[in-house]
Amino acid sequence: MMSTLAPFLPTTLVIIGAFVLLLISTVRSIHLKSYLYITVVFLLLAFAVALPQFGTRSGVYVLPKVFGHTYLADDFATLFDLMFLGGGALTLLINAIYLRKRDYYNGEFFALFLFAIFGMMTLAHANDLVPAFISLELTSIAIYVLTGYHKNYRGSNEAMLKYLVLGSFAGAMFILGTAIFYGVAGTTVISELAAFIQIHGSEHLLALSTAGLFIMITILFKIGAVPFHSWLLDVYLGSPFPVTMFMASVLKVALFAIALRLYLILYVDTGLIGNQIISFLAILTLIGGSWLAISQSMLKRMLAGSSIVHGGYMLIALSSIGLGAHLAAPAIMFYLLSYFISSVGAFGILSYIAADSNRPLTYEDFKGMAHRRPYLSAMMAISMLSLSGFPSTIGFLGKFYIFMSAIESGQFALAGLGIFIAFVSVYYYFKLIAMMYFYPCEEETCEQHPFEIHVSTLLIGLMALITIWGGIGTSLIPWFPGADGIISIAKQAIGSLP
Amino acid sequence: MIEILETSLFALLALGVLTGGLMILLARRPATHAMGFFIALLSVAGLFALLHQSFLFFAQVLVSVGGVVIVTLIMILTVNLREADLPPEPHQTRWLIGAAVIIAPLSLLLYQTLTTLGDAFPPVSDTFGGTRSLGTLLFHDGVLPFEILSVLLLTAMVGAIIIGKKEQSYDRES
């Protein structure tokens, strides 16, 4: 009995945590810090339960008599579960100082946070388009609310409304695609769809391609690929810092989880039209995102623009999957991890500094930063180097695998464009490093701030260390995975797909 | 004779859906929007009835027409927007035509797609779409989506309460 229910345990723990937080959020005497730590405890507990499950299963339907073929437990989903849980806990802990210094957070904030993570986990496990859609909407609704959490700030209201209206519209495309799939194949179960496409795919090429395209539109919208990116800058700027960080890192991982599952099953060796479109969108995303990132003066907007570009790199690998590159799917997973680590570091430092400031941070605010906060500046520089893909950081290896997969699939021009865009990105990332190190301190008080020992700052430091560790990729400690280890873990997860 | 009747009914209902949609897009007053919404949803219910889908018809009438439209109307009455409060829309026609031009090829693609589906399905049995078969389907294949949906509704409710609540005394940026 226990073994059949074990795959549900992490998800159950997260949802129980959300209910507990909802129940105790009415108690006024509980401090915000307690809510934070209760949330983190539930996330880490679920992480600890999910960790031993990795590597044990390759595609088991959980409780098939009750759920049919809708809920799949495989290494692929477990790996993504681990990323959501670890990422969620990291996001909260790194923003602990920011959360403490703002008055508008309460217990419901953390409950909604857990609801969003619950939605992501069921999204990664869903083997049916209908639960996948509902999970996606669950995550989205929780994040719409989190986006608008700072109610007295106009930007936050604007961000919420924009995201809500456009996001719901994009979500409708998913239903349309699902309906067409159902109309053709008579099923919405992803693995049954794959079987249908293998046999009858060529007879219904147009309908199946259109359906896949509509579903991809929703995913591309939420990723922020270029023709669908117009919401992204304002939403990232208007949201509170923890939410921006959550959207840029963990939500992106969740979207690529469903994109990878669909893509690996529907587009590999089936002749469906989709690759060319994804390649084309990757080009648009890389160029458009770079343009947006270059033209910003606010750091949050710059990071938002750059997150579009990083989505573009992953689209390169996604299009390579359909052309038969075996490295592409693990490359995306590695890139997600590397982007997650680097961006969590960058957003974490921004949120730490912004906690004392009442306005959005610009490049100018970082002038002479290295004199005032040498440690934080060094960590920021490492994050920026990694985001730009500088060698000896984890970001370099991420880009390396992406371009390798593009070359493996024969998309040489796309790989070339990717490398060019990586050079362009050096401009806006190194501008910040230059501001920190090569400008004198202009403020009245140039004395050095002491390094505050706190869970936030320590975790930011840890992220910087992991960035370097992952980049050098040594195996000094045999049991601890370096870059090669992560790639083989990702390959194992991909291999568990049906 | 019956076929002609069905076709003309379908045309009428389709016209209703389109009229409702256009009313939502073009009308100036919020109450007119709600009426357009009402007409569109009711016509969709009629389309379900035309396909002998009794359950979907009732669900559409009860939930969408009876629930959603009423809630929309109550909201419009509560907020009580005046014409002067609405933002000006100087280039409305230009926007509409532009959007229509952009969407036209997409609609053509959808039309082509849906016409190829044709008779991919076997003819349905008499019980198809009835309350009984739907219930069996919902509580067999649909248990997981159903359960996640309950969490989704809870999340939406909590979110709506938080966003609607008025209690704050801070005003800090970013």
Side-chain angles (χ1 to χ4, degrees), chain A residues 146-162:
Chain A
L146 294 180
T147 307
Y149 224 81
H150 190 172
K151 281 187 279 179
N152 287 9
Y153 176 44
R154 286 184 75 93
S156 193
N157 297 337
E158 185 194 337
M160 180 183 68
L161 198 67
K162 256 186 193 169

Side-chain angles (χ1 to χ4, degrees), chain A residues 14-132:
Chain A
V14 171
I15 200 76
I16 289 174
F19 287 142
V20 166
L21 281 162
L22 269 186
L23 286 176
I24 62 172
S25 66
T26 48
V27 185
R28 284 186 182 276
S29 56
I30 298 179
H31 199 251
L32 186 78
K33 214 174 185 177
S34 320
Y35 291 131
L36 177 81
Y37 287 117
I38 291 171
T39 317
V40 171
V41 162
F42 270 105
L43 285 173
L44 292 182
L45 213 60
F47 187 89
V49 174
L51 192 61
Q53 293 183 10
F54 182 76
T56 55
R57 275 189 305 267
S58 54
V60 181
Y61 297 113
V62 187
L63 295 180
K65 279 183 186 158
V66 184
F67 291 138
H69 288 175
T70 48
Y71 195 88
L72 188 69
D74 51 10
D75 284 348
F76 180 80
T78 311
L79 184 61
F80 275 107
D81 277 357
L82 292 173
M83 284 164 95
F84 304 145
L85 295 167
L90 268 178
T91 308
L92 287 180
L93 286 176
I94 282 186
N95 285 295
I97 290 184
Y98 185 88
L99 291 166
R100 201 180 62 199
K101 291 192 178 172
R102 294 288 186 271
D103 309 323
Y104 44 86
Y105 295 108
N106 47 24
E108 288 94 345
F109 178 86
F110 299 101
L112 284 170
F113 195 87
L114 286 185
F115 278 132
I117 290 184
F118 171 76
M120 291 173 188
M121 291 171 78
T122 45
L123 180 66
H125 281 280
N127 188 37
D128 189 325
L129 290 170
V130 177

